[in-house]
Amino acid sequence: MNNKTINLDCLILAAGSASRFGSCKQLADWHGQPLLAASIAAARQLKPARIVVVGGAFYPQLLQALPALNAQVKNKTETPVELLEFPAWNLGLGHSLAHAVKYLQNSNPVLVLLADQPLISAQDLQNLYHHWCQNPEKIASASFANTLGVPALFPAQFKARLYECRGDRGAKSLLLRYSNHVIPVAMPSAEFDVDTPADLSNYLRKAI
């Protein structure tokens, strides 16, 4: 990617309570950095207009960590992270997604990411973006394990549909409902997410 900021917003969902993890999963150690930092670093390489992290259950911890998450922003070509609080996070992923998309009141497409998919690389996101650029009226979605899911890039006209997400029905339900409007982009790395401390430790042990 060049140094020019592109008209794209990145939305990283990190509002959940991580009940299976038992603590603030978003800030768990991942190769010496917070787990969330992996998603931010990949998103930042796209040079998006905005990167918004949605915090909820662990909003105070994320707010405290925000300076460290922005420590790599050294010039105007690097997008800083904005932290958005969603106090009603217990209503579910869909509600936090809808809340965040409404916060982005503009005509930019929006890239939806999760905070717990640390294997997603900058190249994965650039590949997704390039596929979307070839068909900007459609949704570009990660394709893995015989399904569609996030990361997914939604053109602005689909924001109204994202507003309607509720409960635990997030972007994936929308991708399946509008599958005829989706460009699937192979992304095996999207299959791995961190649900439990065992997921994290097992992967890190294998990586040594």
Side-chain angles (χ1 to χ4, degrees), residues 20-21 33 44 46 49 52-53 74 82 136 146 150 160 176 182:
R20 293 182 62 194
F21 197 85
Q33 296 288 330
R44 191 170 274 147
L46 282 177
V52 177
V53 172
K74 297 179 176 64
E82 303 171 50
N146 297 313
V150 294
L176 297 176
V182 172

Side-chain angles (χ1 to χ4, degrees), residues 10-32:
C10 292
L11 185 56
I12 303 176
L13 302 177
S17 65
S19 58
R20 293 182 62 194
F21 197 85
S23 62
C24 184
K25 172 174 64 173
Q26 299 89 332
L27 298 179
D29 182 78
W30 175 261
H31 297 295

Side-chain angles (χ1 to χ4, degrees), residues 125-167:
L125 297 185
Q126 288 167 7
N127 189 36
L128 191 74
Y129 177 70
H130 287 314
H131 275 80
W132 177 79
C133 286
Q134 295 170 18
N135 290 278
E137 300 301 311
K138 294 194 173 185
I139 305 165
S141 165
S143 173
F144 55 95
N146 297 313
T147 191
L148 298 170
V150 294
L153 178 50
F154 293 86
Q157 62 265 33
F158 276 92
K159 284 184 175 180
R161 304 282 76 81
L162 289 167
Y163 295 161
E164 298 168 0
C165 291
R166 294 292 183 271

Side-chain angles (χ1 to χ4, degrees), residues 48-98:
R50 299 171 77 177
I51 298 174
V52 177
V53 172
V54 188
F58 296 107
Y59 177 78
Q61 292 92 324
L62 294 176
L63 184 61
Q64 186 174 9
L66 189 60
L69 294 172
N70 274 324
Q72 294 181 344
V73 178
K74 297 179 176 64
N75 57 64
K76 292 182 179 179
T77 67
E78 296 177 335
T79 311
V81 173
E82 303 171 50
L83 181 61
L84 173 66
E85 183 178 14
F86 182 49
W89 57 268
N90 58 314
L91 294 177
L93 178 69
H95 279 82
S96 64
L97 174 58

